[in-house]
Amino acid sequence: MTERNADSYTAMLEAVQAFHHKHDFKNRGGEELTYRMALMAEELGEIGAAITKGKPKEQLAEEVADLFILLIGTAIAADFDLKRAFWQKMDKIMQRKSRMVNGRVRVSEFRD
């Protein structure tokens, strides 16, 4: 890893933006949202395979990082502030109550 503030969301956003610019995603279909959704589904499948097949933690981490990069890139492509959306959502979900569902904790918007 090169020297940088690795804990900074801004640094991560700039790295993903640089990747988009390097490959000209904006003009070559790489920022089209339906395409990005398919890529995220593919990455979720790879995360699922890493978990269900008992792959090493490093492989799981790599697949999760792939999804995280795609999420940041989707915010770039859709032109919204992911950091702001994250904190707005955290504020909202911190107000939720949890329930036990089938022996596991769930924190959702339960509709009775």
Side-chain angles (χ1 to χ4, degrees):
M1 184 163 73
T2 59
E3 280 300 312
R4 62 182 146 226
N5 183 358
D7 291 330
S8 165
Y9 172 75
T10 301
M12 291 184 274
L13 177 62
E14 288 171 356
V16 176
Q17 286 174 321
F19 182 73
H20 279 224
H21 291 303
K22 176 182 178 181
H23 297 286
D24 196 19
F25 281 12
K26 189 171 194 156
N27 296 308
R28 298 175 68 200
E31 292 189 354
E32 197 273 319
L33 295 180
T34 304
Y35 173 65
R36 297 192 67 77
M37 182 180 60
L39 292 174
M40 287 186 279
E42 181 181 325
E43 290 304 332
L44 273 176
E46 291 175 8
I47 290 168
I51 292 169
T52 60
K53 295 179 179 179
K55 300 288 183 175
K57 179 174 53 174
E58 296 78 17
Q59 187 170 347
L60 174 60
E62 183 174 335
E63 300 305 342
V64 171
D66 282 342
L67 181 59
F68 185 54
I69 291 164
L70 276 165
L71 290 169
I72 293 171
T74 299
I76 293 167
D79 194 28
F80 66 86
D81 183 340
L82 182 57
K83 182 170 69 171
R84 181 170 183 246
F86 172 87
W87 288 115
Q88 286 177 334
K89 188 64 175 187
M90 283 304 302
D91 289 343
K92 192 175 189 179
I93 67 174
M94 286 299 290
Q95 303 305 312
R96 293 182 183 170
K97 296 187 181 341
S98 63
R99 290 187 188 175
M100 293 301 289
V101 177
N102 298 324
R104 292 187 173 92
V105 68
R106 289 285 309 265
V107 183
S108 298
E109 284 188 89
F110 295 103
R111 293 176 176 86
D112 295 316

